[in-house]
Structure formats: C-alpha cells, structure tokens
Amino acid sequence: QLQLVESGGGSVQPGGSLSLSCAASGVALDYYAVGWFRQAPGKEREAVSCISRSGSSTNHVGSVKVRFIVSRDNAKNTVSLQMNNLKAEDTGVYFCAADPWSSSCSLTSTDYSVWGQGAQVTVSS
C-alpha cells in the first residue's frame, strides 16, 4: 500500500526559497503521477504543480509558474518541489498526492487517490 510523507516545510521571508520533498513507501512511485496541492487558512485546497510518472511532463498553476520547479527521482522514490521567490500568498499546508491513472499529470484533486499528511509553509516578514 502506497504511503506518502512530506518534509521540508518551514518559515521564510518573502523572496526566499524552500524545498519540499515527498517520500513514498510501500509501492514504487514510478507507477504514479504526483501532484502538489496547498490549502491556505480558510480557503479550499488548490493545485500547485504536478509531474508525470517518468518526469518528462510537468504542469503548474499560473501563480507559481517560473517560481516553482517540480522534479522526481524514481530511484529514490521521491518527488521534490523547489519554491523560489516565495510570496505571502504561498502560505499554507502543502500536500503531495499520487495518481495511478493519468498518462501525463493532472491538476485536478479528484484524480488523486493517495495523499500525504501535509507540510506547513509560512511566508512572512
């Protein structure tokens, strides 16, 4: 059974950088596309980025394009999200999730069947 665990969250000033990692156990992660989602206080969960099984295809929502980079290392069963030039509106709990069906990757949360517990990211001066 696939399990996902996020790590690497924390606090940073605006303009700073953070890197999140999503580690998989139980099943090889290369069977899954992986997405990153976030939820700010009082708001609904929203998509951030995703990466296909092989890593050849990625997608990002417009607000993080250029600033965020998603990558994966299937040999290490991990997916990373490098977040640069962070803004206050990037604050929230970040979740990684696995999608066993998409041929590329999806920014639709209902396509994902396995979720991590989340990692807090706080951007504040």
Side-chain angles (χ1 to χ4, degrees), residues 17-102:
S17 298
L18 280 175
S19 181
L20 296 176
S21 182
C22 175
S25 63
V27 178
L29 194 57
D30 56 4
Y31 287 113
Y32 299 82
V34 174
W36 286 95
F37 297 80
R38 66 187 179 191
Q39 187 166 18
K43 294 188 177 181
E44 293 191 354
R45 188 176 299 181
E46 64 173 354
V48 177
S49 304
C50 68
I51 187 166
S52 62
R53 297 172 190 174
S54 67
S56 61
S57 177
T58 63
N59 200 4
H60 305 270
V61 295
S63 61
V64 307
K65 275 183 180 177
V66 178
R67 299 189 297 123
F68 287 15
I69 301 169
V70 60
S71 61
R72 68 189 298 159
D73 185 340
N74 286 338
K76 294 183 179 179
N77 246 18
T78 59
V79 172
S80 299
L81 183 68
Q82 176 65 39
M83 304 181 290
N84 302 314
N85 190 21
L86 283 161
K87 305 176 181 181
E89 52 264 40
D90 295 318
T91 294
V93 178
Y94 282 68
F95 302 87
C96 64
D99 167 13
W101 304 113
S102 295

